[in-house]
Amino acid sequence: MTDAPEAKITHSRPHQVGRPSAARSRILTTADRLFYEEGIRSVGVHRVVDESAVTRVTLYRHFPSKDDLVVAYLQNRAAANEAAITAMLAEHAGDPRAGLRGMAEMVAAGGFADEHNGCAFINASAEHLDRSHPARAVATRHRKWIIDRTADLLRELGHPTPEAMAQILMMLRTGAVVGASLDDSPGIETNFLRAWDALVATI
């Protein structure tokens, strides 16, 4: 049995300044695992409370509603992904082609192992069809961030339409992630990288 739906919020709770508490970290770690593995709507707040070993009062002190917790879960995933991409691009500074290849390899690593249940942001958006929901805003912003970084690299390579090609590469990435979560295809990583390289090679 899941909790009753939370009232929709219009603004997410601001990021906590300074070092987060151990309880907040446990709550987010638990929510990340449960929301991604089982789905946001199928996991009630009581389940997060139980598996985080905190009280409901503690959870609601940090996250006033389930929507706040969902937004924080997605923001954490986005921040971690963006930090990893930024670090990888720093290693390939001055070599945009290597940076583009690195972006593809990161998502495809281990046969899309980190995306075995699909894209967390697409999944969250599918569970929240209201386009004004704050979870969708996080997903949209993160996808735009990836597209913008891809366009930056394409622009550095001298591509005539970097924004359009970045959108195409994002569509390829999205399709591959969804396909990897649905199909039992051992060659999907190789095929994705081959298609990515073919598109980049047209520059």
Side-chain angles (χ1 to χ4, degrees), residues 21-203:
S21 72
R24 186 178 192 276
S25 295
R26 285 203 310 277
I27 292 166
L28 277 175
T29 297
T30 301
D32 184 279
R33 172 174 55 82
L34 293 175
F35 288 165
Y36 184 69
E37 295 295 337
E38 301 182 23
I40 293 169
R41 292 197 178 279
S42 68
V43 175
V45 169
H46 69 283
R47 177 95 178 277
V48 178
V49 167
D50 290 345
E51 298 199 21
S52 301
V54 298
T55 65
R56 289 178 72 95
V57 170
T58 297
L59 185 144
Y60 283 117
R61 182 185 306 127
H62 292 288
F63 308 101
S65 74
K66 185 178 178 181
D67 279 343
D68 284 299
L69 180 57
V70 170
V71 167
Y73 149 66
L74 293 173
Q75 287 174 334
N76 264 19
R77 283 206 163 224
N81 193 22
E82 290 167 19
I85 291 173
T86 298
M88 180 276 296
L89 292 179
E91 293 178 1
H92 297 298
D95 189 349
R97 198 173 295 276
L100 285 165
R101 173 70 181 197
M103 291 185 76
E105 290 177 344
M106 285 181 69
V107 70
F112 297 87
D114 289 342
E115 310 279 358
H116 59 278
N117 277 347
C119 172
F121 302 95
I122 293 175
N123 294 348
S125 296
E127 292 195 70
H128 299 88
L129 298 180
D130 180 356
R131 290 183 177 273
S132 67
H133 193 281
R136 291 185 69 109
V138 178
T140 298
R141 190 210 63 79
H142 179 55
R143 286 174 62 82
K144 183 179 185 303
W145 186 92
I146 294 174
I147 291 170
D148 287 347
R149 298 294 77 71
T150 305
D152 289 343
L153 294 168
L154 291 165
R155 193 174 295 108
E156 192 176 345
L157 273 177
H159 194 282
T161 56
E163 291 81 8
M165 179 56 78
Q167 290 278 0
I168 291 170
L169 290 173
M170 175 56 94
M171 286 190 287
L172 175 63
R173 170 194 170 111
T174 299
V177 169
V178 173
S181 70
L182 296 175
D183 305 329
D184 183 16
S185 175
I188 194 165
E189 178 181 354
T190 299
N191 291 335
F192 165 69
L193 291 173
R194 183 180 295 123
W196 182 282
D197 288 343
L199 286 170
V200 173
T202 62
I203 302 170

